[in-house]
Amino acid sequence: MIKNYIYDFGNVLGQFYPEQFTAHYVSDEDTIKFISDIVFDRLYWDKLDEGTMTDEEAKELFCTRLPDELKEVSCKVYDNWVNNLIPVPGMEKLVKDLHKNNKKIYLLSNISTTFQNTCRNVEWMNELFGCFDGFVFSGEIGLVKPSAEIFEHLLKKYNLNREECLFIDDRALNIEGAKNVGINGYLFDGDADKLREYIEL
């Protein structure tokens, strides 16, 4: 029986589409793509998720790839991406309904310490995270999905029985990582109603 629901964040709870973030500050489509491809390059974001790179280091590095006239706006895009996150449709209500039904809810996300330190400043996330029983942020602990270590860290931190957990993520590789340590997995495709039906809520 599933008692614990473990959520990824990006494209499960919050929409993570770099070009949407950039479009708040830039109107030209080609420039939006150009900036987004550089600012949100996994070359930096993987290290941010691992906690091995700071915001200032990331900005310094990506600015070396930008023309002078785009450096300021690109840093603005980076500095405000958390503020510009919006929820995945239907997921706020699903989480709140699970909470009302006395289910335990956890967050397990490959995400930077910047997100960890600022997400509660955004009203919808502050309200949503009030339903959660625990959090594991990769940037804080230096472990990332799909490693077995990060799943074991969550289980140990919150004393969870792995057979009673369902992990919900939008990446098949991460679902496999969960299954490899005995945690049930659900590959999320953006359809909150389908997930609701799956968990019989």
Side-chain angles (χ1 to χ4, degrees):
M1 180 180 178
I2 301 299
K3 298 180 180 179
N4 311 299
Y5 293 84
I6 306 165
Y7 285 90
D8 175 39
F9 181 80
N11 293 329
V12 175
L13 297 175
Q15 294 183 11
F16 190 93
Y17 299 116
E19 293 188 16
Q20 288 185 4
F21 303 146
T22 306
H24 283 274
Y25 309 100
V26 179
S27 57
D28 177 72
E29 290 187 9
D30 289 339
T31 307
I32 289 172
K33 186 176 189 316
F34 178 72
I35 289 175
S36 299
D37 287 348
I38 291 175
V39 171
F40 296 93
D41 193 329
R42 295 312 311 184
L43 179 68
Y44 318 119
W45 284 72
D46 286 345
K47 291 181 174 64
L48 290 162
D49 289 351
E50 294 166 356
T52 58
M53 181 177 285
T54 67
D55 292 328
E56 292 309 314
E57 288 170 337
K59 287 192 286 186
E60 183 177 346
L61 286 169
F62 72 62
C63 278
T64 65
R65 299 167 59 190
L66 292 163
D68 289 343
E69 64 270 18
L70 293 181
K71 290 180 180 180
E72 183 177 353
V73 70
S74 297
C75 287
K76 191 171 185 180
V77 169
Y78 181 89
D79 289 337
N80 288 281
W81 72 270
V82 177
N83 296 326
N84 290 321
L85 284 162
I86 59 175
V88 171
M91 292 302 287
E92 288 177 290
K93 187 174 190 311
L94 178 57
V95 167
K96 291 173 183 177
D97 287 347
L98 283 170
H99 180 64
K100 288 176 185 175
N101 280 273
N102 298 314
K103 301 298 184 181
K104 297 294 184 179
I105 307 169
Y106 301 89
L107 186 75
L108 176 62
S109 185
N110 285 356
I111 210 155
S112 68
T113 55
T114 295
F115 177 87
Q116 178 184 356
N117 294 333
T118 61
C119 62
R120 289 292 191 133
N121 297 331
V122 181
E123 184 176 355
W124 75 266
M125 283 187 277
N126 186 50
E127 182 180 345
L128 183 68
F129 288 159
C131 297
F132 280 65
D133 296 279
F135 303 85
V136 170
F137 300 99
S138 65
E140 179 183 28
I141 61 173
L143 299 171
V144 294
K145 296 176 293 184
S147 71
E149 289 82 5
I150 194 168
F151 292 104
E152 295 289 356
H153 177 88
L154 176 97
L155 294 171
K156 182 177 181 181
K157 182 177 181 178
Y158 295 108
N159 194 28
L160 303 179
N161 184 333
R162 65 194 69 220
E163 291 83 10
E164 296 176 346
C165 296
L166 178 67
F167 174 60
I168 301 152
D169 197 292
D170 64 317
R171 296 189 65 205
L173 193 63
N174 293 336
I175 295 297
E176 284 304 309
K179 289 181 177 179
N180 287 340
V181 298
I183 296 174
N184 302 284
Y186 179 92
L187 183 61
F188 184 67
D189 64 358
D191 189 333
D193 290 334
K194 188 190 297 186
L195 175 57
R196 180 182 287 273
E197 184 177 344
Y198 178 83
I199 62 180
E200 300 179 343
L201 184 61

